[in-house]
Amino acid sequence: MRATMMDVPLTVAQILERAGRLFPDTEIVSRRPDKSIHRYRHAELHGRALALAAALQKAGVKQGEPVATLMWNHAVHLEAYFGIPCAGGVLHTLNLRLHPNDLVYIVDHAGPRTLIIDDVLLPLLAEFRDRVRLDRVIVVNWGKGALPEGAVDYEDFIAAGAAGYVPPELDETDAAGLCYTSGTTGKPKGVVYSHRAIVLHSLAISLPDVLSISHRSAVMPVVPMFHANAWGEPFACAMMGAKQVFPGAHLDAVNLLDLWNDEGVTLVSGVPTVWLAVVRALDENPGRWPRVKGLRALIGGAAAPEGLLRALIKHGIDPAHGWGMTEITPVGAIHSFKRKLDTLPPDARIAHLAKQGLPLPLVETRVVNDSGEAPWDGASVGELQVRGPFVAARYHNQPDSGDRWTSDGWFKTGDVVAMDADGYIKLSDRTKDLIKSGGEWISSVELENAIMGHPAVAEAAVIAVAHPRWDERPLAAVALKPGNSLSLEDLRAYLAPHFAKWWLPDAIAIVDQIPRTSTGKFQKSVLRERFKDWTWDIPTR
Amino acid sequence: MRATMMDVPLTVAQILERAGRLFPDTEIVSRRPDKSIHRYRHAELHGRALALAAALQKAGVKQGEPVATLMWNHAVHLEAYFGIPCAGGVLHTLNLRLHPNDLVYIVDHAGPRTLIIDDVLLPLLAEFRDRVRLDRVIVVNWGKGALPEGAVDYEDFIAAGAAGYVPPELDETDAAGLCYTSGTTGKPKGVVYSHRAIVLHSLAISLPDVLSISHRSAVMPVVPMFHANAWGEPFACAMMGAKQVFPGAHLDAVNLLDLWNDEGVTLVSGVPTVWLAVVRALDENPGRWPRVKGLRALIGGAAAPEGLLRALIKHGIDPAHGWGMTEITPVGAIHSFKRKLDTLPPDARIAHLAKQGLPLPLVETRVVNDSGEAPWDGASVGELQVRGPFVAARYHNQPDSGDRWTSDGWFKTGDVVAMDADGYIKLSDRTKDLIKSGGEWISSVELENAIMGHPAVAEAAVIAVAHPRWDERPLAAVALKPGNSLSLEDLRAYLAPHFAKWWLPDAIAIVDQIPRTSTGKFQKSVLRERFKDWTWDIPTR
């Protein structure tokens, strides 16, 4: 007996059609470079995205051809999110925070011939323009300035409109998007998303227990559209009919809070550093943003310290941890409380919020260590491995990266986790950030989150430093709040009630700030390099 | 450039794995035939469903082979929902309300060799057992009675457990489920659901704007599991980790309300007649079921009259219309209010609730009439046509049914609708129930919904009767509340403010009750047959 269902592929084009036809009035709000507000509706997004698609087709973009973007979060970037895949092309978002050398590597590796760029980012392009081959540069000319020689104004490019647009014959496994991982080591690696992966991911992240995206939502991805699809929200919001609010280049807390308050934003996603700044602004301006109460704060990209969670809750913001990777389109897990946890006392509730949550539907998970698959007991740790229709099976044109997949086809995330009996993931560390001391493992993330609870500490990272007797021992790099000091003895005394004695850092290094990757994560590789010749001045244990 | 995503099929087996691993504590509650409560958890559902799968494999069930069920809504039927597809078989639910002749036709047409049946339904099987070929009858022996010769006890059948279960190599387009449409005319027709269709439908109906199914939900499908997959809820609830509560054979309002109240049910789906009975019980027992306040009531299968919507709201129940068909796995649209409608005054809000809502993601819609595609203006009517990955492309083994699909591959629903500019569908009638009077169309559904608002009327159906001058004219078949009467003049006067004069029925026929199909819908074909020789005793217009 054979199924009698239609063979209709899952495509990004369907998402755009739905947005334009069922939710034509949904607003898209963007902050321009000059801080003024740009505002239009899905009906215009739909028309302009198809106009872009038609223009790209006329310009000769072929099916499966990458088209690069170098833009902040705003409505025109959203048009590219849809227009490029609707033309049959591959949306290739370039990370504007990368070093020009990395951008040259990526453009050379992926091979886009067309780039759509914000005028305010032309100086960045100028730094590497002569080292890449780009046949066509299309400029979103916010400032109405003069364009570089040979460049085209975006509005002129799409002016002919959607007339002549020919929907490509798409298979759902065809390429639609391309992101490069901003790895802390090694060269960036490309992940090519299929139409199918984007549609399935959009459905999964919109579910009530995930991001709960509705046509009644107003969503701001602070997370950049040039990084991991802005966690997939632009696609999901369009599919669900949700309003989107984009901060453009203005990512300081006051600008963000103004937009959330003015536009009635209900869901914001960002990395912990964004939320730390938001809490500071709320502390300093009591009562200034009344409509921010009730906002759902999705925190991902790195683990949020408990102190941050507490501060958000104090301000009436509802925080939830998430976990994802560029290789997972990108969301893998989001925290939501099961009913059985409703009776947890407040402190235990905060502690539970420190978990990264439940895996999404369609994301299969397992935890593997030297003894095989670890039990889901909340204590046994191992590497998190995942499998699913929106998980990468390989990197683009990177034959030497097979060690990231197991022989039975699971993706090795490199994250060390414990899973509890209820299916909640708790990130303990990156495999490469674990500290091996006397044959046992110490989690650098747990230590640094605890250290960041100390009142004198602004931020902290813990790294392994080679040790003649114990193999490795933890060193705490600490940035202090202005006017504070902290000794190693004080730090150890502060941590002692919460950790085994042999976990306590054996050294403290006061630093101005913790170095970060282009996406705001702690860049421990820089610290490891800086302290690689550390000499231990006290006997340990 | 090719996508780098994993090729992981969407399967029902994944849903079961997720239910068992991430939500092992989720409760499944069922009312047994003796009215006592059966209660267990996902962990047991998971183990027992795989035990059933293993037993079916050992018994020789092949991939793609249908396995029939004849059961009420309860935990064992849920085990079959998962165990049969996990064995590689096709869950073939038989509708216990059909005439034995139809059951014989269906079993003969689909060809299952195995049947799983409730002991309380053995008398129904006895009516047609000797007219079908079934090699194996497995009895869920609630009453611990003696089994018919050759039958196996379900518990004995699965006793060996999941040991030896071999996950079949499944393609996502392989068959997983089979339902026959309970058509009001013609022979039943089979729709074969793929694994892919069921997974996509589960994701789509769980979204916040659709049924909003969460691990915090408690869901009762009153709609039978033997009809259109109980609207897909058993699969979706398992995927999301939602508690499920099943009424077994006890579908009277008091039993339902007791269960909703005792088990904290948050979402119930049923046809209008169920809700009419619930309103009566609530009217008669004020305060008896306090926890029912806030319940979401999904109403589908037929249009709900405004009076019913008002009565539900009065009792603190939150009603929403839905629309679906066996051919759509089955949900096609659900009502939810866009933010722009929040300012509607109460009466306009009720009127809006009478719409069937917004099409689900992945369900493409268009409205087609003699002039081509109708504009989405809320007024232009035409036949609703749909397309999508969980819409049927044909009927099983039914080569003569091609007229239900357009030449460009859309399914012709047979429903006459108008769509408004916001994408809301308003069902106006079945194409075959429209009344053609003097070259214009009259909607029988709109008339009968209005008639059911008359205080003397229990229920009403309007049909077309041949007329020598006008081609067809409407006749209202009306069942009155006890002790009431209603004349044609009174009825026309009651309707006159709301309809054009030529829409008003020209005849009234008082009947004991409106005949219904096996799924509770008005069976107008019976009325048309009964009144086909009606002679008009008044001049019309």
Side-chain angles (χ1 to χ4, degrees):
Chain A
M1 175 167 284
R2 291 180 49 230
T4 64
M5 297 287 109
M6 288 184 183
D7 180 19
V8 175
L10 310 175
T11 69
V12 171
Q14 285 169 353
I15 300 178
L16 181 67
E17 275 309 297
R18 180 174 170 84
R21 291 210 77 178
L22 288 191
F23 305 102
D25 288 344
T26 293
E27 280 188 313
I28 306 294
V29 179
S30 313
R31 204 182 274 289
R32 295 192 186 93
D34 67 1
K35 293 205 177 177
S36 66
I37 295 293
H38 173 273
R39 188 183 297 274
Y40 68 21
R41 294 176 188 274
H42 267 185
E44 287 149 284
L45 167 68
H46 178 257
R48 287 171 56 91
L50 288 186
L52 172 59
L56 290 170
Q57 289 178 326
K58 274 174 224 154
V61 167
K62 297 274 176 295
Q63 236 173 288
E65 176 181 327
V67 174
T69 65
L70 193 58
M71 287 193 265
W72 293 99
N73 288 16
H74 52 60
V76 179
H77 209 166
L78 190 62
E79 293 168 13
Y81 261 56
F82 289 100
I84 294 170
C86 282
V90 181
L91 168 75
H92 175 197
T93 51
L94 292 174
N95 183 337
L96 58 88
R97 295 210 178 101
L98 292 182
H99 190 278
N101 290 349
D102 283 332
L103 290 169
V104 168
Y105 171 83
I106 288 170
V107 170
D108 187 54
H109 188 264
R113 298 183 303 130
T114 302
L115 170 70
I116 309 176
I117 183 172
D118 278 334
D119 58 356
V120 291
L121 293 171
L122 286 169
L124 171 58
L125 176 63
E127 291 185 52
F128 65 93
R129 176 70 182 91
D130 55 353
R131 295 155 62 196
V132 294
R133 183 192 154 187
L134 286 170
D135 297 343
R136 189 179 300 103
V137 174
I138 303 165
V139 180
V140 184
N141 197 1
W142 300 101
K144 312 286 180 208
L147 299 187
E149 195 182 314
V152 188
D153 187 302
Y154 180 84
E155 294 300 328
D156 295 337
F157 187 69
I158 69 166
Y165 169 63
V166 183
E169 287 283 326
L170 286 172
D171 191 279
E172 68 184 37
T173 57
D174 285 346
L178 167 62
C179 292
Y180 276 75
T181 59
S182 52
T184 47
T185 55
K187 281 291 181 191
K189 293 173 190 69
V191 178
V192 187
Y193 307 105
S194 61
H195 284 264
R196 169 181 165 97
I198 290 172
V199 170
L200 292 175
H201 183 269
S202 300
L203 289 166
I205 67 168
S206 301
L207 291 165
D209 297 325
V210 187
L211 302 189
S212 198
I213 298 175
S214 152
H215 54 63
R216 300 180 65 86
S217 307
V219 179
M220 178 188 283
V222 177
V223 54
M225 293 170 81
F226 55 73
H227 172 65
N229 306 325
W231 297 352
E233 290 171 3
F235 294 116
C237 288
M239 184 187 264
M240 301 307 149
K243 173 175 174 175
Q244 295 190 64
V245 183
F246 294 113
H250 304 288
L251 299 175
D252 62 284
V254 168
N255 265 308
L256 296 179
L257 282 156
D258 281 350
L259 268 178
W260 304 348
N261 193 67
D262 295 350
E263 300 294 335
V265 169
T266 60
L267 170 69
V268 173
S269 51
V271 292
T273 43
V274 166
W275 293 108
L276 287 165
V278 164
V279 164
R280 256 193 316 275
L282 288 167
D283 285 342
E284 288 162 6
N285 300 273
R288 176 164 166 189
W289 298 288
R291 292 180 73 195
V292 166
K293 282 215 191 315
L295 180 76
R296 185 132 187 265
L298 177 63
I299 311 175
E306 283 195 14
L308 173 59
L309 300 171
R310 272 180 217 282
L312 289 169
I313 292 170
K314 188 189 78 183
H315 284 293
I317 292 177
D318 175 26
H321 246 134
W323 169 84
M325 299 182 74
T326 300
E327 292 88 341
I328 315 181
T329 311
V331 181
I334 297 286
H335 189 280
S336 64
F337 282 104
K338 292 189 182 182
R339 266 187 198 274
K340 63 192 285 190
L341 300 169
D342 287 354
T343 52
L344 283 181
D347 274 355
R349 203 171 160 83
I350 295 271
H352 203 281
L353 268 177
K355 303 193 184 203
Q356 275 68 26
L358 299 165
L360 266 59
L362 311 187
V363 177
E364 293 174 79
T365 54
R366 67 184 187 190
V367 180
V368 177
N369 57 31
D370 293 345
S371 324
E373 208 170 324
W376 291 16
D377 57 10
S380 305
V381 297
E383 184 180 38
L384 180 61
Q385 300 184 350
V386 298
R387 183 175 175 274
F390 49 82
V391 178
R394 58 190 172 85
Y395 292 119
H396 172 65
N397 195 15
Q398 200 81 32
D400 62 339
S401 54
D403 62 330
R404 294 301 301 278
W405 284 269
T406 66
S407 57
D408 60 343
W410 291 64
F411 173 62
K412 295 159 74 173
T413 66
D415 279 323
V416 178
V417 307
M419 288 197 77
D420 68 22
D422 285 312
Y424 287 91
I425 297 172
K426 176 75 191 285
L427 236 69
S428 123
D429 217 329
R430 295 288 299 168
T431 45
K432 63 181 179 301
D433 291 337
L434 282 174
I435 300 156
K436 187 153 198 173
S437 171
E440 300 282 347
W441 294 103
I442 296 172
S443 163
S444 64
V445 170
E446 286 183 43
L447 280 175
E448 60 205 28
N449 279 345
I451 295 171
M452 283 190 276
H454 190 287
V457 172
E459 50 188 31
V462 173
I463 57 166
V465 174
H467 190 282
R469 179 162 172 203
W470 302 110
D471 194 5
E472 292 178 349
R473 288 295 297 156
L475 173 146
V478 175
L480 295 170
K481 291 180 184 167
N484 283 274
S485 65
L486 184 66
S487 70
L488 179 63
E489 288 64 39
D490 288 348
L491 178 66
R492 289 172 60 97
Y494 175 78
L495 297 173
H498 307 295
F499 297 97
K501 185 144 183 285
W502 59 274
W503 271 51
L504 303 184
D506 280 335
I508 186 170
I510 303 299
V511 297
D512 289 342
Q513 57 180 22
I514 306 296
R516 294 181 186 286
T517 67
S518 65
T519 55
K521 294 184 203 180
F522 288 166
Q523 196 166 18
K524 296 196 191 177
S525 56
V526 173
L527 290 175
R528 276 193 287 264
E529 179 62 23
R530 188 187 315 174
F531 294 108
K532 71 176 193 290
D533 300 323
W534 184 267
T535 44
W536 296 100
D537 53 339
I538 56 162
T540 61
R541 282 203 274 182
Chain B
M1 177 167 283
R2 290 180 51 230
T4 63
M5 296 287 109
M6 288 183 183
D7 180 17
V8 175
L10 309 174
T11 69
V12 171
Q14 285 169 352
I15 300 178
L16 180 66
E17 277 308 298
R18 180 173 170 85
R21 291 209 76 176
L22 288 191
F23 305 101
D25 288 343
T26 293
E27 278 188 314
I28 305 294
V29 179
S30 313
R31 204 182 274 290
R32 294 192 186 92
D34 68 1
K35 294 204 178 177
S36 66
I37 295 293
H38 173 273
R39 189 184 296 274
Y40 69 21
R41 294 175 188 273
H42 267 185
E44 287 149 283
L45 167 68
H46 178 257
R48 288 171 55 91
L50 289 186
L52 171 60
L56 290 170
Q57 288 179 327
K58 274 174 221 152
V61 167
K62 297 273 177 297
Q63 235 173 288
E65 176 181 327
V67 175
T69 65
L70 194 57
M71 288 193 265
W72 293 100
N73 288 16
H74 51 60
V76 180
H77 209 166
L78 190 61
E79 293 167 14
Y81 261 56
F82 288 100
I84 294 170
C86 283
V90 181
L91 168 75
H92 176 197
T93 51
L94 293 174
N95 183 336
L96 58 88
R97 295 208 179 103
L98 292 181
H99 190 278
N101 290 349
D102 283 332
L103 289 169
V104 168
Y105 171 83
I106 289 170
V107 170
D108 187 53
H109 188 264
R113 298 183 304 129
T114 301
L115 171 70
I116 309 177
I117 184 173
D118 277 334
D119 57 356
V120 292
L121 293 170
L122 287 169
L124 171 58
L125 176 62
E127 290 185 52
F128 65 93
R129 177 68 182 92
D130 56 353
R131 295 155 64 195
V132 294
R133 184 192 154 188
L134 287 169
D135 298 343
R136 188 180 301 103
V137 174
I138 302 165
V139 180
V140 184
N141 197 2
W142 301 100
K144 312 286 180 207
L147 300 186
E149 195 184 315
V152 187
D153 187 302
Y154 180 83
E155 295 300 328
D156 295 336
F157 186 70
I158 69 166
Y165 169 62
V166 182
E169 287 283 327
L170 287 173
D171 190 280
E172 69 184 37
T173 57
D174 285 345
L178 167 61
C179 292
Y180 276 74
T181 59
S182 52
T184 47
T185 56
K187 281 291 181 193
K189 293 172 189 71
V191 178
V192 187
Y193 308 106
S194 61
H195 284 264
R196 168 180 165 99
I198 290 171
V199 170
L200 293 175
H201 183 270
S202 299
L203 288 166
I205 67 168
S206 300
L207 290 166
D209 297 325
V210 186
L211 302 189
S212 199
I213 298 176
S214 152
H215 54 62
R216 301 180 64 85
S217 306
V219 179
M220 178 189 283
V222 177
V223 54
M225 293 169 81
F226 55 74
H227 172 65
N229 307 325
W231 297 352
E233 290 170 3
F235 294 116
C237 288
M239 185 187 263
M240 301 307 149
K243 173 175 175 176
Q244 295 190 65
V245 183
F246 294 113
H250 305 288
L251 300 174
D252 62 283
V254 168
N255 265 308
L256 295 179
L257 282 157
D258 281 349
L259 268 179
W260 303 348
N261 193 68
D262 295 349
E263 300 295 333
V265 169
T266 59
L267 169 69
V268 173
S269 52
V271 292
T273 44
V274 165
W275 294 108
L276 287 165
V278 164
V279 164
R280 257 192 314 274
L282 288 167
D283 285 343
E284 289 163 5
N285 300 273
R288 177 165 164 186
W289 298 288
R291 292 180 73 196
V292 166
K293 282 215 192 313
L295 181 76
R296 185 133 188 265
L298 177 64
I299 311 175
E306 282 195 15
L308 173 58
L309 299 171
R310 272 180 217 282
L312 288 169
I313 291 169
K314 190 189 77 183
H315 285 293
I317 292 176
D318 175 27
H321 246 133
W323 169 85
M325 299 183 74
T326 301
E327 292 88 342
I328 315 181
T329 312
V331 181
I334 296 286
H335 190 280
S336 63
F337 282 104
K338 291 189 181 181
R339 266 186 198 274
K340 64 193 283 190
L341 301 169
D342 287 353
T343 52
L344 284 182
D347 274 355
R349 203 171 160 84
I350 295 272
H352 203 282
L353 269 176
K355 303 194 184 202
Q356 275 67 27
L358 299 165
L360 267 60
L362 310 188
V363 177
E364 292 174 79
T365 53
R366 67 184 187 191
V367 180
V368 177
N369 58 28
D370 293 345
S371 324
E373 208 171 323
W376 291 17
D377 57 9
S380 304
V381 297
E383 184 180 39
L384 180 61
Q385 301 184 349
V386 298
R387 184 175 175 274
F390 48 82
V391 178
R394 58 190 173 85
Y395 293 119
H396 172 65
N397 194 15
Q398 200 82 32
D400 62 339
S401 54
D403 62 329
R404 294 302 302 278
W405 285 268
T406 66
S407 57
D408 61 342
W410 292 63
F411 174 62
K412 295 160 73 173
T413 66
D415 278 323
V416 178
V417 307
M419 288 197 75
D420 68 22
D422 285 313
Y424 288 91
I425 298 172
K426 175 75 191 287
L427 235 69
S428 119
D429 217 330
R430 296 285 300 168
T431 46
K432 64 180 178 303
D433 292 337
L434 283 174
I435 300 156
K436 187 154 200 172
S437 171
E440 302 281 349
W441 294 103
I442 296 172
S443 163
S444 64
V445 169
E446 287 182 43
L447 281 175
E448 60 204 29
N449 279 344
I451 296 171
M452 284 192 275
H454 190 288
V457 173
E459 50 187 32
V462 173
I463 58 166
V465 175
H467 190 281
R469 181 164 169 201
W470 302 111
D471 193 6
E472 292 178 350
R473 288 295 299 156
L475 172 145
V478 175
L480 296 169
K481 290 180 184 166
N484 284 273
S485 66
L486 184 65
S487 71
L488 179 62
E489 289 65 41
D490 289 348
L491 177 65
R492 289 171 60 97
Y494 175 77
L495 296 173
H498 308 296
F499 298 98
K501 184 141 183 287
W502 59 273
W503 271 51
L504 303 183
D506 280 335
I508 185 169
I510 304 298
V511 297
D512 289 342
Q513 57 180 20
I514 306 297
R516 294 181 186 283
T517 68
S518 64
T519 54
K521 295 183 201 181
F522 288 165
Q523 196 166 18
K524 296 197 190 176
S525 55
V526 173
L527 290 175
R528 277 193 287 265
E529 178 62 23
R530 189 189 310 174
F531 294 107
K532 71 175 192 293
D533 299 323
W534 184 266
T535 44
W536 297 101
D537 52 339
I538 58 162
T540 63
R541 280 202 273 183

